Amino acid sequence: MSPVFKDLANAIRFLSIDAVQKANSGHPGLPMGMADVATTLFKYYLRFNPKNPGWINRDRFILSAGHGSMLLYSLLYLAGYKSISIEDIKNFRQKNSICAGHPEYEKNSGIETTTGPLGQGLSNAVGLALAEEILKKKYGSNLINHKTYVIASDGDMMEGLSHEVMSLAGHLKLKNLIVFFDNNKISIDGSTSLAVSDNYKKRFESYGWSFQEVNGHNEKQISKAIKKCMSSKKPNLISCKTIIGYGSPNKSGKASSHGAPLGEEEISLVRKKLKWSYEPFHIPKEILNEWRRIGKKGIAEEEKWKLVYNKKDKKIREEINRIINNKLPKEFDKNLISLKKKIYNQKLDLASRKSSAMILENITQNLPELIGGSADLSGSNNTKTKYSTIIKPQNFKGNYIHYGVREHGMAGIMNGMALHGGIIPYGGTFLVFLDYCKPSLRLSSFMGLKVIYVFSHDSIGLGEDGPTHQPVEHLAHLRSIPNLNVFRPADTIETLECWEIALKSSTNPSVIALSRQKIPFVSEKFNTKNMSSLGGYEIRKSNSNPEITLIASGSEVQIAIDALNKLKEININSKVVSMPCQELFDKQSEEYKEKIIAKNSRKISIEASSIFGWEKYVGQDGSSLGMKTFGKSAPYKTIYEDFNLTSDSVVMIAKKMLSK
Ligand SMILES: Cc1ncc(C[n+]2csc(CCOP(=O)(O)OP(=O)(O)O)c2C)c(N)n1
């Protein structure tokens, strides 16, 4: 007997129910409720090839409601992805299992992104859909023409992030984006009516989305709605009325099916009700074969696509190949060195945000994959260059995105574009507004994505805008995030070096913190070597046996250099270490670190930021100049003096240290 639709959907339901039961933790409710929608999508529409999960023109499928992870793992196993075996499913939520508690991005596995923090998957999906439009415009609609499908839950829709990204998606008219809203009206606390009374139709339509509503357990209705999206001119939302925990006699429609195993007794009742008489984890051959047949459809699709690809001009093919494989152009290094020479000869005193603009202007021309943007403030963080062309609704020819005042959305969308492949996203705002985008930045780091955050106005040095805009704790916060490089360059040479490292970092994101105020050119020698890649290095020394080591970053390197000169006048030998990136410094050999931090000297750190974290370099008998309170509203030189961030303070501390 050939399997019917319900058998296919029930295979997802029972793999999920049984895996959650075995793990004794997890969320069975969502997979049970959305199994019919997912089956319809995979059976009729989703273009994917489990034999080559990385195919660039595959449709993307994002489970934004990551707590329902077993839905995704079941689908990938059933459709025949090698990354997930039945053993992996039995090991759901166990150590090292790919079937982790929430989906964790793994390249070429079918798990397209990490989800769990609600709203994030939706933001990634907007980035994926945007990337598709940008690349389509560049390389032709016969080559790049895929869809991005998302399952999002009530929680996704309640999160502020969903408002930011759906509003922007509507503005840009990302028509290839199709969101299935699991409108089951249940969240952890019970009915969503406890907290929401939004009119969803009006909400999404006001963003410029098309809105449809279906019975999420009716194959025909679901299929018809997806079909309608194929000719849509807007992003699409299909509100699927579903029953959480569908099939469970006592727990369906209730929050009790959301986040806990159903229990053996209830599971046997579900088996009876859905007429599923098979053992846990056993999928009858006919049902599995039918799923595998669905999985194989994409092989022919990819073959067809290859014919188109092979007919493309050789230069285009080479470029696509290069950007997909995350390689920079051959001439990149040569161009950068000649720019470095030019910068060195000019020796300009510039705010590092301006240095960054100068560098961006130079590299933008030769890096088609670099897609910039800013959460407003483009003219302040200097992310837009004269070679930036703006991406507009229905016109995706460009390399710069006006994200609007949507920092969180920008970061989530950048993650999506990086996940798509073929794009290196960078985006700007003020460092203090890290607070508004940190959840997505954390996921950039967790997933190891090449996303570049350009955070200007990096200290009290921004002056008159005052303490609401002056970051204090932000650098320490960023430095505590694993797998993230936090750069704070001291001049134009270091700014160029930091950009180079960020562009070459394929497994981690970067933050480049930039000054608002003008800072002097401090590099003494021309060096083809990227000194910032050492994280910290000697930039000045009065002799080879310093009594005092001054360690500073960014705008404070000059204060340290001034202090060195003043100390020299009173016969105290010192040296200055410029530390543009603590993470890279910490990775150097013990020998190098000891040499730079000069074990036998007394250490003083200078950074116009929280002193938190500097103890590891200055030690117990060292001292840190920095911020212990919020800043103040006044011209920046006055504030520096007010907080004792001056070379005279450094000299005073050094003298005191040596007299003890
Ligand atoms: C940002 C964030 N806050 C809180 C949670 C914890 N959490 C997991 S699921 C969930 C809500 C579940 O409701 P819903 O989104 O409707 O999913 P369903 O119950 O329908 O599966 C919450 C609050 C989370 N995962 N992410």
Side-chain angles (χ1 to χ4, degrees), residues 232-298:
S232 169
K233 301 261 183 290
K234 303 170 176 180
N236 304 277
L237 186 124
I238 305 175
S239 168
C240 306
K241 287 189 180 163
T242 61
I243 298 168
I244 191 169
Y246 179 94
S248 166
N250 297 303
K251 297 194 173 178
S252 64
K254 295 184 188 149
S256 55
S257 70
H258 164 89
L262 295 180
E264 296 293 358
E265 224 172 278
E266 186 68 12
I267 292 176
S268 59
L269 295 177
V270 187
R271 279 192 150 73
K272 239 187 234 150
K273 186 167 165 116
L274 297 182
K275 302 189 176 60
W276 187 267
S277 53
Y278 318 108
E279 289 297 302
F281 305 106
H282 175 68
I283 305 295
K285 220 168 145 191
E286 304 76 43
I287 297 177
L288 191 59
N289 284 346
E290 179 56 13
W291 263 113
R292 295 288 152 92
R293 187 194 64 75
I294 293 168
K296 281 190 184 126
K297 283 189 310 180

